[in-house]
Structures are given as C-alpha cells and as structure tokens.
Amino acid sequence: MNSIIAFPARLAVWLLLAPLLPGIINKVKAWVAGRRGPPVLQLYYDLARLWRKGVVVSTLASPGFIAGPAVAWVAVLAAALLLPLGPLGASLSFRGDVILLLYLLALARFCTAWAALETGSAFEGMGAAREVSFAVLAEAAVVTAVLTLSLQSRSVSLSAMLVPAAGSGTLLLAVGLFTVLLAENCRVPFDDPNTHLELTMIHEVMVLDHSGPPLAAVLHGAAMKLLLFSVLLVQAVLPVGKLPPAAGAGALVAGVLVVTVAVGLVESLMARVAFRRVPLLLTTAFLLCVFALLIAWKGGAA
Amino acid sequence: MNDLLNLLIGLAMGLNLVALGTSRLPSLIRIAALQGMVLGIMPLVMEHELRVMLLAVAVATVSMKGLVIPALLRRAMRTANIDRDLDPLIGFLPSLLLGAAGMIGAVVLARRLPLRPEHHESLLVAGALASVLAGLLLLIGRSKAISQVCGYLILENGIYLFGLLLIHSTPLLVEGGILLDLTVAVFVIGIIVDRIQRAFDSLDTRKLTVLRE
Amino acid sequence: MTMGQLMALAILVLVAATLSGPRLPRVWLALTLAGTAALLGAALWALGGSAVWDWRSGFAVGGERLHFRLDAVSAWFLTLVAIVGGAGAVYTREYWPDHERPESAGRGRAWWSALVLCMGLVLQCANGLHFLMAWEAFALSAFFLITLERDRRETRAAGWLYLAASHAGTLGLFAFFSLLAARTGSWDLGPMKDHPELAPLFWVALFGFGVKAGLFPLHIWLPSAHANAPSQVSAIMSGVAIKMGLYGLVRFSGWLPLPAGAGWAVLALGAVSAVLGAAFTLAQSDLKRLLAYCSVENMGVILIGLGVGLLGAANGDTTWGRVAMAGALLHVWNHGLFKSLLFLAAGSVLHATGTREMSRLGGLWRAMPWTAGLFGFGAVAISALPPLNGFVSEWLVYLGLFDAAAGHVPVAVAIVPAAIALGVTGALALAAFVKAAAMVFLGAARTQNAAHAHECGWWMRAPMLTLAAACVGLALAPVVVWPFLRQPLGAWNPAWRGGEPPAPLAALGALQAALAALVAAAAGALWLRARANGLRRALTWDCGYAAPTTRMQYTSGSFAALAVGWFAWALRPERWLRWPRGPFPSRADHVERIPETVLERAIGPVSEVVMAASAWMRRRQQGRLPDYIFYLVAGLAAVGALVVFGGM
C-alpha cells in the first residue's frame, strides 16, 4: 500500500546511512585509544572526493576491472533490498528469497575476487585466495544460521523468518552470526582494515589497485554489507517485526548501534588472530550455529 | 531451577570445546579450572534447601578444582619451564569437530537411555558423556604431560557430573574422597613432571616410551 | 508428420551422417545438424504435449522385438543430446579439421554422429536387451572419440581406464537387466511399481549407472578421460554422456519399487560427490581436469535433488520433494549447457596456446576476448550465481531442502547436513572458478605460448554463443521452461503431475532479468564516470619491488593452497620440495601434485595385490597334466566334504 513511499525510504536507508557505520566504528576505536579520531562522516567525504577523482588502471587489467566493483555493488544493494528493514519491511518477499540473498553476496565476492586478480599482482592474488577460501567456512556457518531461522519459524521467506525465539539458542545464534559478521566484513580478529602490510591483509589488499569512482563503489559496497549483516543479526535476535512501528524502528536502530559499537570495541581490545587460527575461529562460529540449529530443531519437535 | 542447571551444564559443555580448540597450555589450565568451578556450584543449584554439608562440598570443589589444582599445574609448568604451545597429535580443528560430534552424539544417546523421569529434561547425562569424551580426546590428542593432566581433569569432571545424578542417594562424602584422590594425583604428577623434565629435558609423552624395560 | 516419422528420420539421417563422416565433412555436418534438429524437434514435441510415443516393431533383434518409447523423462535428456550434439559438430569443423588432423578427423566425425545416435537410442529403448546393446555401443563410440589422439600415451591410458571402468559399470547393468528379466519374465521395460520383490535391484542399478554418472568414489575414469579427450568430445562427455548414467537412475527409480534406504543413500552419495568433487576441482591445476572434477561436483548437486525427491516420494509428500526433483532435472539441462560451453572455451584456449596447464597461461583476455568473455560467463553460471541459469536450478534444490527442514519432516536428519554440504559446495565451486578464469585469462601471460595466443574463428565461436544464449534463456525465463519441466516430473512420479510451478519461478525470473539489467547499467555508468574523470594506465602496484616478473603472479596452486590444506585428508597432495641451500643457491624446486586419490590410493594398491595373486596363479598353470588331475581331485574332495558336512 505504501510501497511508493517505502521503497525510496528503504533505498535511502541503505544508500545514505550505510557509510555511517565505519565512521562510528572508527570513533569508538579512537575513543578507546584516547584520541579524537576522524569525524563520523569521514567516509562520506572520502566517497565524494573519490567520485570526482580520476582513475588509474593497471596496464594488465581488462574492462572487468571496472565492471567488477560495479557488479559487486549492485549485488550487495540487491541483497540488502531483499532484507526486511524493521517496520519498513522488505521490498519484495517470496519463498526462497533468503537463498537469493546468500548467492547475491556470493556474486559480490566473485566480482571482487575477479577484479583483484585482473591486476596480476601477487598481493591481490593472495587476498582473493584468502577471501574465497575463508568464505567456504563462513558459508557453512551462514547456511546453518539461516536453516536455524527457517526451522524455528517454519518458513523459507525472510520476512517471516526473522521471528526470533527466546532462549539459549538465540544467544548462540547471535554469537555465531556476530563472528560471521566480523569475518565477512574483514574486521578484527580476522583482518585488520587499518593495516598497511600487504602480506597480512584480506579485503584491503584485494582493492589495492582500485582508485577513483570504482574505489568509491568498493568502499560504499563494503559499508552496505556491514549494515546488511548488522540488520540481519539484530532482526535474528530481537523481535523487531512484532513491535509497533515506532518501537520497532527504535529497536532496530539501537540494535545496529550496539552491534557497531561492539565491532569497534572488539577492534580496540582484541588482536588479530594468526592466520592459521582463522579456520578454527570460523569453525567455532559454525559450531555455535549448529548448536543453535539443534536447539531450534528440538524445540520444534517437542 | 532446572533451566539454570542446564545452562551451567551447557556452559561446561561449551568449555569442553574451548579446551579442545585452544592452542596454549595456560589457557587450557584456565579452562579446566573454570569448568571445575562451574561444576562446583551445581549441587547448590540442584538442591532446594541449603545444607551445611552441601555448602562445604561446593566450597571444597570450587577451591580444589578451581584454585588449588590449577595453581599446582601452573607451578609445575613454571618450574619445568615448558614451552607454552600445545603440540597436538590430533589437529585443533579436527579435535574441535570431533568434540562437537561427540557432544551431539552424547545428547542423542542421553535421550535414548532409560533414565528416571526427573532426569529426562536435564542435560546431566549428556554433559557427563560429552565431558568424558572431551577428556579422552585430549588424552589421546595432546602430547604434553600437563595437557594430559588437563584432559584427565576434564574426564573427571564428566564423572563428577554422573555422580550428581545420584546426589539424593549417595552421600557427598564419596565425592569428597574422589576430590582428595584427584588433588593428590595432580600433586604427584606435578612433582613427577618436574623430575622428568630434569632427567630427560622433555615432557613429550611420545618420548617417554623409551622408559620401558 | 507424426512423432514416429520424425524419430525415424532422425535415426536414418544420423546413420547417413555416420557413413559420410570419414570422407565428406560438409555433408556430414549438414546431416548431423539435420539429425540433431530432428531429435530436438521430437524431444520438444514429447515435452510439449503429454503424449508418449510408443512403438513396437515386428522386427526382432537378438530374439526380442524392437520396442521404442519416448516419454517425457527420455525427451528431457534427449533435448540435451540434440543441442550439444549439434553444437559440438559445428565446433569440430574448425577445432579438429582434416588439414590439421589428417589421420583422425574423419574417424572423429563418424564416431561423433554414432555417439549422438547411440545416446538417442539408449534414451528410447524400452527393452532391457536392446538397452544393453545401445549402452554398449554408446560406451564404445565414446571410447573411440576419447582416443582420437591415440599417438599420445596419456590419451591411450585414459581411454583404457575409461573402457575398464565403463565395463565394470556395464557388468552391473548386465546383472541388473538380467535379474529384472528373470524376475518379471520379460525383457520389456516399463512401470513396475507393483512388484515389491524387485526393490533390491536398485542397488545394482545404482552401481552400474553410478559409474557412468561419475559419482564419488566411482568417478575414477572421469578426470583423465575428460582431460585427454579432444575438447568437443570432453564437452559432450561431460555435458551429456555422464547424464546417461543419471538418466538410468531417474528412469528406474521412477519405474521400479525402491528399497527403504534408497533416498538416504542417494542423498549421501550426492552430498559426498558434491563436497569432495568441489574440493578436487579447486585443487586442480590442469584446466580441463578442473572442469572434469567439477562434473563430479555437479552430479552430486543433481543427486542431492534426486535424493530429496526420492525421500519426498517415499513420504507421500507433494511439496518439498517435488521442488528439489524439479531442481535436479533443471540442473541436468543447465549443467549440460554451461559445462559444454566451458569445455569448448577450454578447447579454444588449448587450440591457441597448446597447453592446458593453468600456470603456463594468463592474460589471454587481450588476445581472445570472445573466449574470455564466454568462459567468464560460464564460470558465473556454473558457480550458481545470479542472474544466470545455474542459480535457478540450485535455488530449486535449496528450496526443496529448506522447505523440508522448515516443515520439520521426519527425514530432516538427512536434509539438514545436505543443505550445509550444498552451501559449502557452492563456496568451493566459486573459489575454483574464480581461480580457473583468472589464472587463464587475467593478469599477465606467464609463457611465450600464452603471449602469442590467437582468437578462435566463428565456427568455434558460434556454438559457444548458442550454448550461452540457451543459458541466458533458462536464466531469465525459468517460468517459460516450467511447462516442459512439469512433464518429466509428472512422468517420474504421477502424484506430482500438477500444473502449478512448485516455486515462485516467475518472481525469480523477473528479479534475475532486473538484476542483469541493473548490473549492465551500473557497469556502464561506472565506466563512463571513470572515463569522464580521466582514465590513466599504469603498472600494477608492486610494493615498490624493482624487478617484477610474470612468474611472481599468484599461481593456481598458491591460490588453492589454503583450502587444499583443509581437505588434505581427502586430496592427499604430494609435494617435492628442494630448498635453496648455501650462500649462492643454484636451484630450488617445488613440485606439487594432486593425485586421483581413489584411483591411486585405494583401487591401485588393491589391483596390484590382485595382479600379484593372478601372477601366482598363472605360475600354477603350466600345462602339466598331473597338476590338473590334482586340481580335479582336490575339487572333488571339496565337493564331497561339502556334501558330507553340509548335510549334518
């Protein structure tokens, strides 16, 4: 009924609010470290600047080098639009939309890795290899988490699925999903977005050679992905959809803020784990989701 | 009531997995200690009225498993000057997956066992089985003597959980006796570890097989 | 014209094509195209209407009357045979021409149309004996196609391995069909659900057809055969021929009563094939071997769908099993199309550079933009990414799994692990195809061969474009395919004959189309913006290193190393490492090889033991009469002992 208003509203949330999240994280980190830190809106300034800048393209790169970030950005945006946004709901809801969401994120990963490999740089190859390899374990965790939601809501559609059950299962799921969020968005303890040593990076090293508008697309896409995972996590844990619209919106915003601050705190207080420990951490996230799934299953059968 | 107990058992089971996944000796000791403390307060949760005997056993368990034994182990670790990295015979990831599979298996098995009705909803048996399994896995999969002691501790924690099933029929004195045995055993091992380290310059149990004859 | 006449025409034209193959390339191409077009027409006819073409002749072969039958299940697979058969024939003209391959081009053409013909016959034989004959002829023509280049040692070895494995499977089928005939009293095939005593035969069929379908661990012949065959042959082998094994499974699981564990076993086999197939895919460094292992993976995905379908049918369900089975059938088409496309593109690379080793390629997009684009397209499709067709079918399989899980069905114990396995498979396949496409086409050329590559001509490009167009059609308009898809679904399980699509296919198709348009628009807009801002070419950022070489690029082995390490228990990578030593190290080597684990670690050692035992036995066979008399007496004594003690 109000889809004419709701759709632009959703679009605005995803496009305009997403770059706030990295700003908040950086602010939290600065606050913990006792610095003043960059302004919360820093990413907006960066994006505006990058959008006006010229582009330097590797002599080896094909047109796919520019198309990659564009496709990845569209894929993340499309995935985000499938996700219900508290009282605003989802743009489109059908049976199995959650699988489309997962595979849109996979498409984004494919394109990012493709664009990284365009340059023939060993560093970017390394980052791409790590990204797609760790995604194997993260995917197991995400699919398990989605199955859990599906089992406890007896539905395969996102708008009906995000009805959290109270209990210890939800707690396990929250921790598992939070770990996946950190891994998928390449935050500490999996990756350090601030590092400048190419050998140790995952995501940042893949986009080393991007510049100008394509880099803006990459950064904006990464911010949207972070917001997407935060919104998913919050709605998987809090019954946002059941609350009255105003309260739901408030709960969603507060939840996303809490998640963002938590990311910032993790980043400030934890060190990055050694590379050989990353699979262990991801497996732990997977196991948490498995236990959440078993609890949801047992609860459903009883 | 029962929920709180199940939560504690769930916590203990989670700690089993953490123990299987950790790669550092000090954190392994810390985890075993934490699990001992969690187990120690369980009798208080299970009983409705607070008896002096119960309280005494709880205090003894927590202080022994949570404080004294870990302190002994840490001391042994320090005096023997052991390398703090665990040296796994079974990799951390496989042992984690095995532990999780064992845990699921334990829950499934516990639901099939003919238990008394009041234990049906409880995770006690499942937790006990899972802890025993995790302990055995640590004993098999870690080569250092002190990590094996930790495996032994976790194994004993599982047996302790079994013992809680009989809390109404068996006096807690038995539990007290076990605790005493355990302390003495760890104490002895702590001394032996020190001696072995001095004599052989290594604590790798694989190398101790040359002691036969 | 009736369907019977169309079929007869197709068969006759293909026979004529086979005869004209050795000498008359143009006539052969025209006849093969005509024959495959007729096959396609007949297949679509059968799929469009629900009519079943059933034809019994008075003419007997081997003492049995000929009996052909084309129902929707057969027609579904026949469509694929026709499309890939035609596309490959066109491709052959430039890829394997007389002037380059004077000794094998003619043979290749003849066996090609023979293979298409035999597969068509397998799909239509409704008599067990004739099915076996057609099956054997199909296996043999495939063997001759694989060994076209028989002066190469690897090709001969691959051919023999294929022949041996294929015959092991055929042995199973011999047992299957003769037991079937013995128990029903007739070689005639058809629905026989009312004979519950036939159920155990399913296991024999699973082995026999499983070998052909390349299911893990029966896939041992597949990688070397597909890698060493000429590329158009790899395309039809991987895209279509292994589907014949699947056809057998679908066909007879629809007709025969099934044992209780059938669905579970198929699901488990599918999950294992999918995950391990994908892990092996990622580990390969030979482009065509990589594609071959990926077939194992995709057969696993199809089998997961089939397994869920079997479980659904056994539980009398009408929703989740139907969706998953629809996904499995659709994936048969999808995989047939994009796998053929990928093999043809790989052939184009091989043609241009002379190597399949990915570490010797790189940067080919500049010289071969068409091939690069088409391979990239195929890579996105086979990684099951939206908006292409692989996603549609995998989405249906997922939906079946998720629906079953959400419904808390009794078999959820099998469903949930299968869904997780499918997720892991998807991520592994994505990694494998990013690697394959990037190592071959992106970056800088690693060798001179790669630097001097050339694009293929239109005779090779056109079939690839046709296959890609078919993929696009299936991707954007799955709802148009549904009327065809529901026919085999209804033929397989009459309870699922309904007309409604089992899933919101229309919504998905619209979304896929919108996504494709958006992706194109965004890429164009970003390109324009970059151009408007000023686009400058510069060297890749190399961290300030002074002497970069193309050998410093990430290779296929280094790209896969991380995930290969996690699967080392199955992949068993072999490494030979020579460290650089001394202050002025002379040389250092690192060689890594992923063995075909099942073949080299399980079947190889076992067969060596068998060979040793046979050698020992042979020494006992020296033609000395007293020995034979001794055997006779010993045998008699054994029989006597059996009589005496057995009676007690």
Side-chain angles (χ1 to χ4, degrees):
Chain A
M1 32 131 213
N2 55 357
S3 60
I4 300 153
I5 314 160
F7 184 74
R10 271 190 299 270
L11 207 58
V13 168
W14 290 111
L15 291 180
L16 298 181
L17 294 187
L20 265 181
L21 262 57
I24 297 173
I25 292 177
N26 283 335
K27 208 64 182 170
V28 170
K29 282 164 73 178
W31 175 71
V32 173
R35 295 180 281 116
R36 219 177 51 214
V40 174
L41 299 182
Q42 184 62 45
L43 187 54
Y44 294 90
Y45 307 145
D46 290 349
L47 290 175
R49 164 78 48 100
L50 284 171
W51 188 247
R52 292 195 305 270
K53 278 201 153 192
V55 181
V56 182
V57 178
S58 162
T59 42
L60 297 173
S62 80
F65 186 64
I66 301 222
V71 177
W73 183 82
V74 168
V76 174
L77 179 62
L81 287 174
L82 284 176
L83 192 65
L85 204 57
L88 283 175
S91 309
L92 189 65
S93 173
F94 58 97
R95 224 170 95 236
D97 51 3
V98 61
I99 301 153
L100 181 59
L101 184 141
L102 293 183
Y103 272 74
L104 281 168
L105 292 177
L107 175 66
R109 191 183 336 131
F110 186 97
C111 291
T112 321
W114 175 287
L117 290 164
E118 287 268 4
T119 58
S121 152
F123 296 123
E124 271 139 288
M126 201 182 309
R130 286 170 183 168
E131 167 99 349
V132 295
S133 303
F134 291 143
V136 172
L137 300 177
E139 191 83 347
V142 174
V143 169
T144 314
V146 169
L147 269 174
T148 309
L149 294 174
S150 181
L151 271 167
Q152 69 191 20
S153 66
R154 293 175 181 263
S155 159
V156 195
S157 173
L158 268 170
S159 48
M161 266 164 86
L162 295 172
V163 185
S168 48
T170 306
L171 190 69
L172 289 173
L173 191 67
V175 180
L177 271 178
F178 186 69
T179 317
V180 171
L181 177 147
L182 295 177
E184 282 279 321
N185 292 290
C186 297
R187 315 296 312 192
V188 172
F190 295 93
D191 188 11
D192 190 347
N194 290 339
T195 183
H196 289 289
L197 184 61
E198 289 90 340
L199 284 171
T200 62
M201 298 191 279
I202 302 175
H203 187 263
E204 292 300 310
V205 77
M206 281 203 294
V207 301
L208 264 184
D209 265 280
H210 284 300
S211 56
L215 183 59
V218 168
L219 292 179
H220 190 260
M224 277 201 297
K225 194 173 168 190
L226 183 58
L227 181 59
L228 187 157
F229 270 93
S230 314
V231 169
L232 178 68
L233 170 58
V234 170
Q235 295 191 107
V237 176
L238 295 179
V240 172
K242 280 187 182 167
L243 299 174
L252 185 61
V253 170
V256 169
L257 272 179
V258 167
V259 171
T260 319
V261 171
V263 173
L265 286 177
V266 166
E267 215 138 295
S268 314
L269 304 177
M270 275 180 82
R272 233 193 57 195
V273 297
F275 255 123
R276 59 196 173 84
R277 307 274 301 161
V278 168
L280 202 63
L281 208 53
L282 280 171
T283 309
T284 312
F286 166 63
L287 288 179
L288 287 171
C289 294
V290 167
F291 293 133
L293 183 139
L294 291 177
I295 290 172
W297 191 355
K298 186 176 154 243
Chain B
M1 195 68 197
N2 219 342
D3 280 346
L4 186 58
L5 180 67
N6 276 350
L7 191 69
L8 285 177
I9 298 171
L11 197 62
M13 287 160 95
L15 285 172
N16 284 337
L17 292 187
V18 181
L20 286 171
T22 185
S23 67
R24 308 279 295 169
L25 199 48
S27 58
L28 183 58
I29 296 173
R30 210 175 306 132
I31 291 157
L34 192 60
Q35 196 183 38
M37 288 203 224
V38 170
L39 261 56
I41 53 174
M42 268 180 208
L44 302 180
V45 176
M46 283 176 84
E47 286 298 287
H48 294 282
E49 78 272 30
L50 216 57
R51 282 177 296 159
V52 180
M53 185 62 196
L54 205 65
L55 202 64
V57 167
V59 168
T61 314
V62 168
S63 56
M64 275 298 164
K65 287 190 171 173
L67 302 172
V68 177
I69 295 176
L72 283 173
L73 286 176
R74 274 194 208 104
R75 196 169 151 270
M77 187 176 73
R78 257 200 313 277
T79 50
N81 209 3
I82 301 167
D83 178 22
R84 310 250 161 130
D85 271 330
L86 288 174
D87 189 12
L89 300 174
I90 303 174
F92 297 117
L93 211 120
S95 37
L96 191 63
L97 288 175
L98 278 175
M103 197 161 135
I104 294 168
V107 174
V108 172
L109 182 65
R111 293 175 109 199
R112 296 277 166 85
L113 287 178
L115 295 177
R116 293 181 53 167
E118 71 258 31
H119 294 140
H120 264 308
E121 284 303 305
S122 149
L123 276 172
L124 262 180
V125 178
L129 286 172
S131 293
V132 170
L133 271 174
L136 289 174
L137 212 56
L138 277 175
L139 283 171
I140 298 167
R142 302 286 179 269
S143 60
K144 292 218 169 101
I146 292 199
S147 53
Q148 296 211 330
V149 176
C150 292
Y152 175 53
L153 282 178
I154 289 176
L155 179 79
E156 201 279 334
N157 282 347
I159 296 167
Y160 175 89
L161 274 175
F162 267 126
L164 286 184
L165 274 182
L166 308 172
I167 194 164
H168 297 291
S169 43
T170 338
L172 286 160
L173 214 56
V174 179
E175 187 52 47
I178 295 173
L179 204 59
L180 197 65
D181 278 357
L182 193 69
T183 318
V184 173
V186 171
F187 197 66
V188 172
I189 288 171
I191 297 167
I192 292 175
V193 158
D194 196 30
R195 299 288 145 151
I196 294 173
Q197 174 70 21
R198 279 185 208 170
F200 293 94
D201 223 24
S202 163
L203 273 180
D204 196 327
T205 45
R206 282 173 294 185
K207 294 185 185 156
L208 298 188
T209 46
V210 296
L211 288 177
R212 69 179 172 233
E213 279 308 304
Chain C
M1 204 196 280
T2 66
M3 201 191 287
Q5 285 165 332
L6 197 59
M7 265 340 291
L9 179 75
I11 292 172
L12 285 178
V13 169
L14 282 171
V15 169
T18 308
L19 295 177
S20 70
R23 293 292 164 79
L24 307 164
R26 278 159 198 268
V27 175
W28 169 80
L29 184 56
L31 286 175
T32 307
L33 283 179
T36 48
L39 280 185
L40 184 63
L44 290 179
W45 192 340
L47 284 174
S50 48
V52 173
W53 176 62
D54 200 312
W55 181 74
R56 285 167 195 274
S57 142
F59 186 65
V61 174
E64 286 289 317
R65 299 248 175 101
L66 280 181
H67 179 195
F68 287 138
R69 178 189 165 108
L70 183 66
D71 69 347
V73 174
S74 307
W76 186 259
F77 288 84
L78 191 61
T79 317
L80 200 58
V81 172
I83 293 176
V84 179
V90 177
Y91 186 88
T92 307
R93 190 186 151 87
E94 185 183 335
Y95 185 70
W96 212 262
D98 275 307
H99 59 87
E100 281 180 26
R101 317 260 180 185
E103 79 293 352
S104 63
R107 266 189 295 134
R109 284 191 294 267
W111 285 117
W112 181 272
S113 31
L115 177 69
V116 172
L117 177 63
C118 292
M119 288 199 285
L121 289 179
V122 166
L123 292 174
Q124 292 169 55
C125 279
N127 181 296
L129 193 63
H130 300 146
F131 188 100
L132 277 175
M133 289 177 176
W135 186 265
E136 190 58 22
F138 148 58
L140 282 179
S141 40
F143 167 74
F144 285 115
L145 280 173
I146 291 171
T147 53
L148 271 188
E149 230 180 339
R150 57 189 171 203
D151 43 335
R152 285 178 58 235
R153 221 167 60 84
E154 301 91 49
T155 309
R156 285 200 303 275
W160 284 118
L161 181 58
Y162 162 74
L163 204 61
S166 176
H167 276 104
T170 311
L171 202 63
L173 293 186
F174 263 106
F176 171 65
F177 283 109
S178 19
L179 286 172
L180 198 62
R183 292 197 185 175
T184 56
S186 139
W187 284 96
D188 246 1
L189 302 175
M192 33 191 128
K193 286 271 184 199
D194 47 346
H195 291 69
E197 76 277 8
L198 295 176
L201 288 184
F202 175 78
W203 302 116
V204 188
L206 185 61
F207 170 75
F209 290 119
V211 171
K212 183 59 80 179
L215 302 178
F216 206 94
L218 305 174
H219 68 284
I220 46 161
W221 62 274
L222 196 148
S224 62
H226 289 193
N228 287 299
S231 296
Q232 82 277 22
V233 178
S234 318
I236 201 165
M237 288 294 292
S238 207
V240 187
I242 57 172
K243 304 293 190 313
M244 293 294 124
L246 197 72
Y247 164 74
L249 285 179
V250 172
R251 169 93 291 164
F252 292 102
S253 61
W255 276 351
L256 295 186
L258 295 173
W264 296 78
V266 169
L267 193 59
L269 259 180
V272 170
S273 297
V275 173
L276 289 184
F280 271 100
T281 308
L282 179 56
Q284 300 308 311
S285 60
D286 172 327
L287 180 58
K288 285 178 71 178
R289 234 180 133 77
L290 182 145
L291 293 176
Y293 272 111
C294 170
S295 293
V296 177
E297 175 230 319
N298 275 282
M299 294 310 276
V301 172
I302 296 173
L303 229 63
I304 290 179
L306 176 62
V308 177
L310 287 172
L311 288 175
N315 282 292
D317 162 85
T318 52
T319 53
W320 46 273
R322 185 164 170 253
V323 189
M325 188 67 196
L329 286 173
L330 192 57
H331 204 67
V332 168
W333 270 18
N334 284 337
H335 177 248
L337 293 173
F338 49 59
K339 181 48 70 63
S340 310
L341 168 63
L342 285 166
F343 262 119
L344 296 184
S348 168
V349 170
L350 183 59
H351 199 242
T353 63
T355 181
R356 308 190 306 245
E357 201 56 43
M358 286 190 276
S359 310
R360 299 182 169 279
L361 298 167
L364 287 182
W365 72 269
R366 212 178 277 278
M368 318 178 69
W370 284 93
T371 308
L374 285 163
F375 192 94
F377 175 92
V380 174
I382 205 165
S383 308
L385 297 177
L388 293 183
N389 57 338
F391 177 68
V392 179
S393 42
E394 273 198 32
W395 178 72
L396 286 171
V397 175
Y398 264 117
L399 204 55
L401 289 165
F402 271 72
D403 272 346
H408 289 261
V409 293
V411 292
V413 186
I415 298 285
V416 168
I420 298 171
L422 196 55
V424 171
T425 306
L428 279 171
L430 185 146
F433 277 93
V434 166
K435 173 184 112 165
M439 291 307 142
V440 176
F441 295 104
L442 304 183
R446 291 183 178 81
T447 55
Q448 284 302 309
N449 280 358
H452 297 130
H454 58 86
E455 180 61 288
C456 58
W458 278 104
W459 285 103
M460 278 160 75
R461 230 176 281 167
M464 291 195 263
L465 285 170
T466 313
L467 292 172
C471 288
V472 170
L474 283 173
L476 302 186
V479 75
V480 176
V481 184
W482 168 247
F484 296 104
L485 180 55
R486 55 178 273 232
Q487 302 295 344
L489 210 54
W492 189 70
N493 183 356
W496 294 349
R497 211 177 271 285
E500 278 300 298
L505 282 174
L508 186 74
L511 266 181
Q512 298 243 79
L515 186 67
L518 261 178
V519 159
L526 199 62
W527 178 254
L528 287 178
R529 179 76 202 176
R531 269 244 314 258
N533 286 5
L535 202 145
R536 202 155 58 75
R537 290 272 176 183
L539 278 183
T540 298
W541 165 242
D542 50 15
C543 227
Y545 186 63
T549 78
T550 54
R551 293 289 304 279
M552 286 170 62
Q553 294 177 86
Y554 239 44
T555 60
S556 130
S558 42
F559 192 89
L562 206 54
V564 168
W566 303 336
F567 284 94
W569 51 273
L571 300 172
R572 310 251 159 199
E574 295 167 0
R575 288 197 178 89
W576 294 274
L577 190 62
R578 186 154 40 145
W579 291 98
R581 284 187 198 288
F584 301 103
S586 56
R587 61 176 297 169
D589 296 302
H590 178 215
V591 181
E592 189 169 305
R593 181 175 161 273
I594 305 291
E596 169 36 59
T597 316
V598 179
L599 182 65
E600 295 177 25
R601 298 297 170 88
I603 294 179
V606 169
S607 61
E608 262 162 35
V609 170
V610 172
M611 291 301 277
S614 315
W616 182 80
M617 283 302 286
R618 206 167 50 210
R619 274 211 300 280
R620 306 275 90 72
Q621 300 278 347
Q622 291 176 340
R624 287 181 4 156
L625 191 61
D627 283 3
Y628 291 112
I629 294 174
F630 168 72
Y631 296 151
L632 209 65
V633 173
L636 275 176
V639 171
L642 200 68
V643 168
V644 171
F645 296 109
M648 268 163 53

